[in-house]
Amino acid sequence: MVAMSARPNQESAAPQAETTSPHRAGFACFVGRPNAGKSTLTNALVGQKVAITSNRPQTTRHTVRGIVHRDDAQLILVDTPGLHKPRTLLGERLNDVVRTTWAEVDVIGFCLPADQKLGPGDKYIVKELAGIKKTPKIAIITKTDLVESKALAEQLLAVSALADELGFEWAEIIPVSAVKEEQGAGSGPSGKGKGRGRSDDGRGAGQVALLADLIAPLLPVSPPLYPEGDLTDEPEMVMVAELIREAALEGVRDELPHSIAVVVEEMLPRTDRPADKPLLDIHANVYIERPSQKGIIIGPKGQRLKDVGTKSRKHIEALLGTPVFLDLHVKVAKDWQRDPKQLRKLGF
């Protein structure tokens, strides 16, 4: 007897029609208290630095759009300033930017640090999000590399319970580490929302990829909105100014956490250079609020300002792909955070 195979002959099997999901594209914003890890998460998803980061609250001062290109979708990520109780006109305008962004995006990601208890500020933001009925909302527990699995599980349950209390449902709940491999994040809570534990490879990077997988299906069906290869729609001069401000914040976080603003006045190719040795001249002003702060920024014998130039130039050259000569000057814009005229001059 000849044994017959149960598997159909490949040649005689009827060909199956290929099914492809429609391409999606749209905007997702990350919101949360200041210093909740929004900018770090944006950079991790894009795969390149498009938003400056600092351990000081309120580092982000405007919306930064990072673009993630996938075969099935294009995610335009909007990193917003942290929503906070404003103490200056600048603070009020930053909060206005956040609320305007919420009304314009397709998905909202609420970022809650794993190492900080759910507080009044978080509850205030989530209460506002609950009023946005049609936009899907994802709860993202950030900085999971800083806590043990028990504390992470408690945070996941807390954010799920908060949505229950306010009468809405998270589209997803996911723990993420954007900076370090996770050693086991555990699974999410049951009940409202879909809790997501760690990915198969157990890495923070995998969780970042999983977050993109969760956002993509929530976006509208659309062709790509930006050309392949674009990572941000931020003007180069704005990004250069932000990189300078990030470097300036490093040395003076305690003395001048919010008093620094940077404006790039011009970026011009050096005309007398051979084609194979280009040089870009960048002239920028670092603004502070009082004359007494000038010495803090400049430092003894100008060393601190020199360090700012050295550190920021490396990032600027990586961003622009060309050697740079960076000319920095420190100027006083008196009480600019509270002065409407100065705020307009500085781009707020």
Side-chain angles (χ1 to χ4, degrees), residues 46-58:
V46 174
Q48 185 169 313
K49 190 183 191 72
V50 294
I52 71 170
T53 58
S54 166
N55 62 5
R56 297 297 303 187
Q58 300 169 38

Side-chain angles (χ1 to χ4, degrees), residues 14-70:
Q16 295 186 359
E18 290 186 9
T19 57
T20 56
S21 299
H23 188 277
R24 296 177 179 272
F27 294 81
C29 76
F30 295 138
V31 301
R33 283 185 288 114
N35 207 27
K38 302 180 294 293
S39 297
T40 302
L41 186 57
T42 298
N43 291 337
L45 280 159
V46 174
Q48 185 169 313
K49 190 183 191 72
V50 294
I52 71 170
T53 58
S54 166
N55 62 5
R56 297 297 303 187
Q58 300 169 38
T59 299
T60 301
R61 287 183 177 161
H62 59 116
T63 55
V64 178
R65 283 196 277 267
I67 304 164
V68 180
H69 301 273
R70 296 162 52 105

